[in-house]
Amino acid sequence: MTLELRERISLRPYNTLGVEACARWFAEARDDRDVFAADQAASHLGLPVMALGGGSNLLLTRDVEALVLHVCSSGVRVLSDDGEQVLIEAEAGEVWHPFVMQTLQMGLAGLENLSLIPGTVGAAPVQNIGAYGVEFSNVCAGLTALDRNSGRLHDFTPGECEFAYRDSRFKHEPGRWLILRVRFSLQRTFHSRLEYGPLRQRLAMQGIERPTPLDVSQAICAIRSEKLPDPKVLGNAGSFFKNPVVSVAEAGRLSREHPGLMAYPQVDGRVKLAAGWLIERAGWKGFREGDAGVHQMQALVLVNHGQATGSQLLRLAKLIEADIVERFGIHLEMEPILV
Ligand SMILES: Cc1cc2nc3c(=O)[nH]c(=O)nc-3n(C[C@H](O)[C@H](O)[C@H](O)COP(=O)(O)OP(=O)(O)OC[C@H]3O[C@@H](n4cnc5c(N)ncnc54)[C@H](O)[C@@H]3O)c2cc1C
């Protein structure tokens, strides 16, 4: 089948914030051939390609003058299995949570803490998704991407991806790399990661002393469903700001000035602050201006109550950022990708 190019398509159904923006051109890629065809079509049109997965980490503030390529490829395969370590490859369009569940049902550990994160496998490396003490980079065994500069496929090692906290090289080279498939190194033996207090407490409440990966996944799904608004009900992109990482001296100054400051020492000797705590302390929780707002229960989550535009959400984000600088001297950084 040839690639179907559609002109001027509304992206509202394709982003979890539910904001309106129009794609100049739009196509769906089900396999590598579609991706190569889209790459060529975009070159003929003189436009960039913007890969789109589940649209759960995007803030669209205007129409997108690009060929928006909705990556819908599917397929999961075992590349090797030595009885303990299993190398799995998944196509970029696989939806993340069902893929996680598939690996757990195969008896493999490694992805349980990343349960219920929206989006696709292909987008996971872009911001090095993370939750409950685990990051994508902890299980990444490499990936294959099309380089739009050379028209060639490139196999990345994890090191070449330059992963950092909610960051990778793909975030800094927008439009260059189209990720086609991702490889994961998973284990049969389970080494639980239960540093996160509420997770330990929930398992303890259930009387589970030695949890299986599935127990951990279920506990995390339950906590996440209580804590985060469902984008199908209330438009949002999850955490809107990264947690700022500061020096020990700065964290010390802040906790003297602001008793109760939530701060977590990091392995590199610095300290991660809870951005949600700063925003809540500054009084933004539940704030609403028109349809752009801050969630009632979770200050880190900006929400679209209905008809908010991307620009209105961005304006609100900028007001919050400026206020946090003024009150705490801390610069917040947005987590979703600004288009
Ligand atoms: C309720 C909620 C909870 C969330 N919780 C978390 C969380 O706990 N941890 C976390 O890290 N994130 C979280 N997120 C953010 C989001 O789910 C992740 O960033 C996810 O990986 C985005 O996937 P996506 O397919 O929706 O990407 P999209 O939003 O479609 O795209 C994001 C970026 O990746 C690029 N991209 C997408 N696919 C490809 C591809 N195949 N090749 C190259 N580039 C590509 C896009 O161009 C864009 O720049 C949450 C979001 C929501 C709405």
Side-chain angles (χ1 to χ4, degrees):
M1 260 202 358
T2 52
L3 185 78
E4 190 195 346
L5 282 180
R6 294 191 283 151
E7 203 172 356
R8 298 196 195 284
I9 295 296
S10 165
L11 293 175
R12 191 166 188 176
Y14 294 99
N15 72 96
T16 60
L17 272 165
V19 300
E20 188 53 275
C22 181
R24 181 72 175 83
W25 291 94
F26 182 93
E28 296 203 325
R30 305 203 170 275
D31 54 31
D32 287 13
R33 269 188 312 181
D34 286 347
V35 174
F36 282 110
D39 175 44
Q40 283 185 355
S43 299
H44 285 306
L45 293 164
L47 288 175
V49 176
M50 187 189 110
L52 174 70
S56 62
N57 206 33
L58 288 179
L59 177 60
L60 301 167
T61 55
R62 57 185 155 81
D63 290 344
V64 184
E65 199 53 26
L67 193 173
V68 173
L69 189 63
H70 189 212
V71 181
C72 313
S73 51
S74 61
V76 175
R77 60 196 76 85
V78 175
L79 297 182
S80 68
D81 181 351
D82 68 7
E84 170 52 26
Q85 193 174 4
V86 181
L87 192 63
I88 299 263
E89 185 174 70
E91 295 295 319
E94 283 286 335
V95 180
W96 180 260
H97 181 65
F99 166 65
V100 170
M101 294 314 292
Q102 188 177 343
T103 63
L104 295 178
Q105 277 147 17
M106 289 164 77
L108 301 176
L111 295 178
E112 55 286 340
N113 288 40
L114 302 178
S115 296
L116 214 59
I117 297 180
T120 54
V121 163
V126 176
Q127 83 146 353
N128 183 23
I129 57 169
Y132 299 92
V134 174
E135 289 186 340
F136 166 79
S137 57
N138 299 135
V139 287
C140 178
L143 59 87
T144 303
L146 170 67
D147 180 359
R148 287 211 70 227
N149 287 357
S150 68
R152 296 224 176 101
L153 293 185
H154 183 77
D155 284 333
F156 281 89
T157 61
E160 285 177 305
C161 298
E162 295 167 21
F163 293 122
Y165 168 58
R166 298 297 183 277
D167 203 14
S168 73
R169 70 179 291 172
F170 308 109
K171 240 184 172 174
H172 299 279
E173 295 177 289
R176 176 168 178 190
W177 301 102
L178 290 170
I179 297 169
L180 300 178
R181 27 194 170 273
V182 180
R183 290 174 284 283
F184 298 83
S185 175
L186 304 177
Q187 316 289 330
R188 292 203 188 278
T189 310
F190 179 39
H191 304 286
S192 61
R193 299 285 301 267
L194 306 176
E195 297 96 84
Y196 186 74
L199 175 57
R200 275 201 314 273
Q201 284 154 21
R202 180 167 290 256
L203 289 165
M205 252 164 48
Q206 293 173 329
I208 300 173
E209 274 174 28
R210 299 187 61 194
T212 64
L214 207 54
D215 292 330
V216 172
S217 168
Q218 282 166 354
I220 286 174
C221 289
I223 299 172
R224 290 184 70 100
S225 307
E226 284 165 15
K227 223 177 79 172
L228 289 168
D230 178 353
K232 290 197 194 90
V233 180
L234 185 61
N236 76 90
S239 305
F240 207 87
F241 299 99
K242 291 184 185 182
N243 288 318
V245 182
V246 300
S247 67
V248 174
E250 179 139 39
R253 168 189 71 79
L254 279 165
S255 50
R256 281 190 297 279
E257 288 171 13
H258 305 280
L261 179 83
M262 285 172 76
Y264 307 93
Q266 301 296 291
V267 280
D268 64 3
R270 295 191 301 158
V271 179
K272 193 184 268 182
L273 306 177
W277 187 93
L278 300 173
I279 298 167
E280 182 173 345
R281 189 48 77 95
W284 288 97
K285 195 167 162 183
F287 175 89
R288 180 169 175 172
E289 188 176 67
D291 274 350
V294 180
H295 193 243
Q296 292 277 2
M297 312 283 289
Q298 180 53 263
L300 197 50
V301 177
L302 296 201
V303 293
N304 178 1
H305 289 283
Q307 302 301 321
T309 63
S311 304
Q312 287 165 343
L313 286 159
L314 181 61
R315 197 184 104 82
L316 175 56
K318 294 290 165 204
L319 288 175
I320 294 173
E321 280 176 22
D323 192 33
I324 298 303
V325 171
E326 200 174 310
R327 285 174 195 265
F328 303 101
I330 295 288
H331 292 266
L332 293 181
E333 199 185 321
M334 259 177 60
E335 196 173 295
I337 287 160
L338 183 64
V339 179

